[in-house]
Amino acid sequence: AQLNLGTALERQGHLRLAAAAYESVLILQPESFAGWLNLGGVRDKLDDSAAALAAYNRAVALNPTSSRAHLERGHTFARLKRFEEAVTSFSRTLQREPAHLGALIARASARLRLCDWNDLPTLRTAVVEPILRSPHSSQLAGPFFLLTLPGFLSQPELATVATDNARRLALGTTPL
């Protein structure tokens, strides 16, 4: 009941009350995976990354196969600028869910912070190529697309996207 109360309070934006509800669950059920995971989420929303990380660590210890717990812990590590640990957490999510686009992008971002370029080919396959194949590529690949994904495009792709963006800018159909 307290877990549901915490969830309801969290949805209503009463984050401190939600945290208290989750903590009361954990007093009664210290092995509650959902309690620790939810408490981590609320602590993250309250900008208490250290407490969020402690809660996510406990959730991972209780359920080491939870993709979500590893993913959330990875985001918290990244916010704390602990990028090597973030990469490890995101990699554990990807071991369980290889097609998890959010984990792939987050891991690539953490690796880039470490000047580790190993995810670029995979990110190109998972993100850039589907955008370029899309019939809506001109909307998906905006004018700053080339700046945010350096090194991903071949010269013909670069020319196509740049030409389309220049046309859209000239027509005023895309915001800067």
Side-chain angles (χ1 to χ4, degrees):
Q2 286 295 99
L3 194 60
N4 291 336
L5 175 62
T7 302
L9 289 166
E10 185 177 353
R11 284 185 185 146
Q12 294 172 6
H14 303 291
L15 300 179
R16 292 193 194 291
L17 292 173
Y22 294 137
E23 287 167 351
S24 69
V25 167
L26 295 168
I27 289 169
L28 298 172
Q29 301 171 20
E31 303 302 308
S32 171
F33 168 77
W36 288 110
L37 188 65
N38 292 355
L39 179 61
V42 168
R43 291 294 180 203
D44 251 343
K45 290 175 186 173
L46 290 168
D47 292 324
D48 188 352
S49 294
L53 183 59
Y56 289 138
N57 283 339
R58 188 73 176 118
V60 166
L62 290 167
N63 185 354
T65 62
S66 169
S67 296
R68 180 161 174 226
H70 285 288
L71 180 69
E72 299 301 337
R73 184 170 72 166
H75 287 303
T76 303
F77 276 134
R79 276 190 288 288
L80 291 168
K81 300 190 183 334
R82 293 169 59 177
F83 298 112
E84 289 179 13
E85 292 155 301
V87 167
T88 299
S89 286
F90 296 135
S91 294
R92 289 192 178 135
T93 296
L94 290 165
Q95 286 171 351
R96 287 156 188 81
E97 295 182 51
H100 195 295
L101 189 57
L104 178 62
I105 291 170
R107 184 178 72 179
S109 176
R111 280 187 165 167
L112 292 175
R113 297 287 187 120
L114 295 167
C115 296
D116 175 348
W117 312 104
N118 288 325
D119 275 336
L120 292 183
T122 305
L123 196 58
R124 177 186 167 87
T125 301
V127 178
V128 177
E129 290 176 3
I131 288 173
L132 294 174
R133 285 192 303 269
S134 166
H136 306 290
S137 64
S138 61
Q139 286 113 347
L140 296 170
F144 298 106
F145 178 75
L146 303 177
L147 297 175
T148 59
L149 295 171
F152 283 114
L153 301 177
S154 67
Q155 286 300 325
E157 292 166 337
L158 179 70
T160 300
V161 173
T163 301
D164 186 60
N165 284 332
R167 180 186 56 75
R168 288 175 44 227
L169 285 169
L171 295 172
T173 59
T174 189
L176 286 177

